Amino acid sequence: MIIGCDPGSVTMGLATIDGDDAQAVALSAPAGMVDSDLRIDRLARRLETAFAEGCFEGATLFAIERQHSFGNSADGPLYAAAHRFRVIAKRRGLRVVELDPPAWREAAVGFGNADKQQTLAAMNLMWGLELTDDNAGDALGIATAAAAGVVGRKQGRAKAFRRSRRRK
């Protein structure tokens, strides 16, 4: 099983791919929670609970979107959230990989500058799902790219994986 994570400081997307089965969900901090540290803590506790309840039993890889500082502070909430989620996965013994957004979008959608709605549509088509939250769609895209071997491998394998998924 591969876990994909689209980190966020308000909402995080989580997805799993286990063979031909894919699932994705978006987890949000409670509405009205203003303090970003408390929001991140709440999301982290939800992730820890999912692990404790066996939701990710058999997982070997935790793929997470790499955060870049395009106008975002490197010590801001998004970085804090991503770091916290990586640590939780490592404590559970998972291999953690970070994927650059253009690389995973190229592998999962077909072009590296795909936006969230295009990614969501592509994931629904590829996996036969009816996801409505773009964070869940991104998480599934990240997991799809990791399953396709984008982690340290050439993009060609990812494109072949994408084509094989669409035929089913």
Side-chain angles (χ1 to χ4, degrees):
M1 177 188 295
I2 294 173
I3 303 168
C5 179
D6 178 31
S9 61
V10 176
T11 302
M12 70 183 288
L14 284 172
T16 59
I17 295 176
D18 193 3
D20 285 338
D21 182 45
Q23 300 176 38
V25 66
L27 303 176
S28 296
M33 188 177 274
V34 178
D35 186 294
S36 63
D37 291 331
L38 293 176
R39 286 193 316 258
I40 293 166
D41 182 63
R42 183 66 59 93
L43 292 171
R45 282 190 284 146
R46 292 186 75 184
L47 179 59
E48 288 171 336
T49 299
F51 272 111
E53 292 176 349
C55 295
F56 306 124
E57 192 168 324
T60 57
L61 181 67
F62 186 86
I64 188 168
E65 183 178 75
R66 181 184 312 275
Q67 300 306 304
H68 294 283
S69 57
F70 299 126
N72 297 321
S73 171
D75 61 352
L78 192 54
Y79 286 88
H83 172 74
R84 184 95 181 263
F85 305 152
R86 285 191 310 268
V87 168
I88 290 168
K90 286 181 180 182
R91 284 187 179 152
R92 293 290 179 163
L94 298 180
R95 179 173 161 232
V96 175
V97 295
E98 293 182 78
L99 283 75
D100 287 314
W104 74 255
R105 288 184 191 278
E106 170 72 27
V109 181
F111 51 102
N113 62 347
D115 65 25
K116 283 184 165 284
Q117 291 305 311
Q118 292 166 323
T119 302
L120 182 63
M123 293 300 96
N124 281 332
L125 179 65
M126 180 182 295
W127 292 100
L129 301 174
E130 295 181 12
L131 302 174
T132 57
D133 188 282
D134 56 27
N135 296 292
D138 280 2
L140 187 53
I142 292 163
T144 299
V150 168
V151 183
R153 298 196 181 132
K154 293 186 177 180
Q155 298 283 339
R157 289 190 58 189
K159 289 179 182 176
F161 175 81
R162 201 173 53 248
R163 281 192 301 271
S164 72
R165 290 295 314 155
R166 287 188 181 139
R167 285 189 209 126
K168 293 184 177 183

